[in-house]
Amino acid sequence: MRFLFLLGALSLIAAPAAGAQSPSQASAPPGWTIVIHGGAGTIERDRLTPEQDKEIRTALGRAIDAGSAVLAAKGSSLDAVEVAIKVLEDDPHFNAGRGAVFTWEGRNELDAAIMDGRTRAAGAVTGVTRTRHPVSLARAVMEKSPHVFLSGAGADGFAVEQGLQQVDPEWFATPERRRQLERMKAKQLGSYDVDRKYGTVGAVAVDVEGHVAAATSTGGLTGKRWGRIGDAPVIGAGTYADDRACAVSATGAGEYFIRVGAAHEICARIRMKGETPRQASDAVMAELEAMGGTGGVIITGPGGTADWSFNTPGMYRGKASSTGERKVAIYKDED
């Protein structure tokens, strides 16, 4: 009996506690994910030259790599989405920052938003004309002001006060965007982009702490008038992040995304209905399409999901994660 008692005691000492991790589990690093987009629309293989296809994929790859470097170094999701957007804002292939479309009056007026899923703090700007990186100005509004949304001259003035890099408005202008405006005016086309390409850029990420963030930046619509504002800078429409659910950035016909409250609606469906990110985003995109809207969203969540949903022929997009996954795509059939 004494031998059996000692044997039982030794087995209890040797047995791992309930729920304890094995050495391999304990040493496994926490994961991170980043997803980006560069716009959606009538993006088809016969509309891009091989050179354009290659250049756009390279640009998307640079943005993914910039955000991934932050996350791999255990940086925050907020830092990752900002740095990824800044890369895209400097690339003339996209309708954000340099390469933004022109208003009817021939100006580049820029919008951006950013949101921290940890606290649901948010910042947004619209009608910016001189700040090189509108996404950084949106972050400054979030962190350095008591407000969420600034516009026009006030936003530009705040950018100067915060010491953010200013450029001559001509920095944003490109010959291709001028051509698009001139074509629109000459043919008296409607109020949406000439080529039905919504070149808004966006990024969503989850960091090793499990916090999500979202950011979006755009030049709006070619030939926009009367101070028109789309969904990109509207918190809950084109941009939203909530650690309880997900982070979303949208691109497309902004009026419809505003009416649906698309980004918040996706997060709400995940949080309250228990839907997966893909189920929620597909459902909201279907609702938006039924109303006549087109475009797409990218989405990630605290669990590391990396996904997108769009109802157009293509969407400039890409994703990467700590598992080694890395993908850049343009056309619908690449999924």
Side-chain angles (χ1 to χ4, degrees):
M1 288 294 293
R2 180 179 177 84
F3 173 77
L4 291 175
F5 175 79
L6 289 172
L7 186 62
L10 288 171
S11 66
L12 287 173
I13 293 171
Q21 294 179 315
S22 68
S24 62
Q25 289 175 318
S27 62
W32 54 263
T33 300
I34 186 167
V35 192
I36 66 168
H37 71 73
T42 52
I43 303 168
E44 299 166 314
R45 294 181 189 278
D46 61 356
R47 288 175 174 260
L48 295 177
T49 67
E51 293 76 17
Q52 289 172 324
D53 182 295
K54 181 179 179 180
E55 289 170 358
I56 290 167
R57 290 179 191 273
T58 299
L60 293 169
R62 284 198 300 267
I64 291 171
D65 291 344
S68 295
V70 171
L71 295 168
K74 298 185 179 180
S76 72
S77 55
L78 203 61
D79 288 342
V81 296
E82 181 185 8
V83 74
I85 294 293
K86 288 171 70 174
V87 171
L88 298 174
E89 286 178 335
D90 277 347
D91 194 296
H93 288 96
F94 306 103
N95 174 19
R98 192 178 192 201
V101 298
F102 285 91
T103 67
W104 187 263
E105 294 77 20
R107 289 159 52 90
N108 301 115
E109 296 181 354
L110 314 173
D111 305 337
I114 194 166
M115 189 165 183
D116 185 348
R118 181 176 57 88
T119 61
R120 280 177 284 162
V125 293
T126 185
V128 173
T129 60
R130 290 181 173 273
T131 302
R132 178 173 176 175
H133 293 295
V135 69
S136 296
L137 177 52
R139 184 168 181 178
V141 172
M142 178 180 73
E143 296 179 337
K144 303 295 178 59
S145 87
H147 308 301
V148 170
F149 209 164
L150 299 183
S151 67
D156 279 333
F158 181 72
V160 173
E161 289 182 14
Q162 296 303 311
L164 296 176
Q165 184 179 0
Q166 302 296 290
V167 294
D168 186 280
E170 279 300 308
W171 160 261
F172 304 113
T174 63
E176 173 62 16
R177 296 306 189 190
R178 288 191 191 277
R179 182 196 67 79
Q180 290 174 356
L181 177 64
E182 290 166 2
R183 178 185 169 197
M184 182 182 201
K185 287 186 171 183
K187 295 192 174 184
Q188 297 183 339
L189 298 173
S191 59
Y192 282 103
D193 279 305
V194 175
D195 296 319
R196 303 291 290 183
K197 294 178 184 175
Y198 309 110
T200 298
V201 303
V204 295
V206 56
D207 58 33
V208 296
E209 299 295 330
H211 300 307
V212 300
T216 313
S217 182
T218 188
L221 294 176
T222 299
K224 64 183 179 181
R225 306 179 75 178
W226 312 297
R228 179 263 185 189
I229 301 170
D231 65 303
V234 178
I235 302 302
T239 308
Y240 200 74
D242 184 344
D243 273 5
R244 300 173 298 175
C246 65
V248 179
S249 175
T251 176
E255 281 71 12
Y256 294 93
F257 283 84
I258 292 171
R259 289 165 60 189
V260 172
H264 181 273
E265 183 79 357
I266 291 169
C267 290
R269 292 180 74 106
I270 293 171
R271 186 162 60 91
M272 298 184 179
K273 297 186 68 175
E275 293 181 346
T276 66
R278 187 57 185 266
Q279 287 172 332
S281 54
D282 282 351
V284 171
M285 287 305 301
E287 179 183 356
L288 187 140
E289 185 173 21
M291 295 170 64
T294 57
V297 297
I298 54 173
I299 184 169
T300 191
T305 300
D307 220 329
W308 41 63
S309 179
F310 56 100
N311 59 16
T312 53
M315 182 165 77
Y316 302 134
R317 61 201 187 275
K319 59 184 176 181
S321 73
S322 54
T323 64
E325 177 187 30
R326 187 181 186 279
K327 178 176 183 177
V328 173
I330 295 178
Y331 313 107
K332 185 179 283 289
D333 61 15
E334 292 184 80
D335 286 341

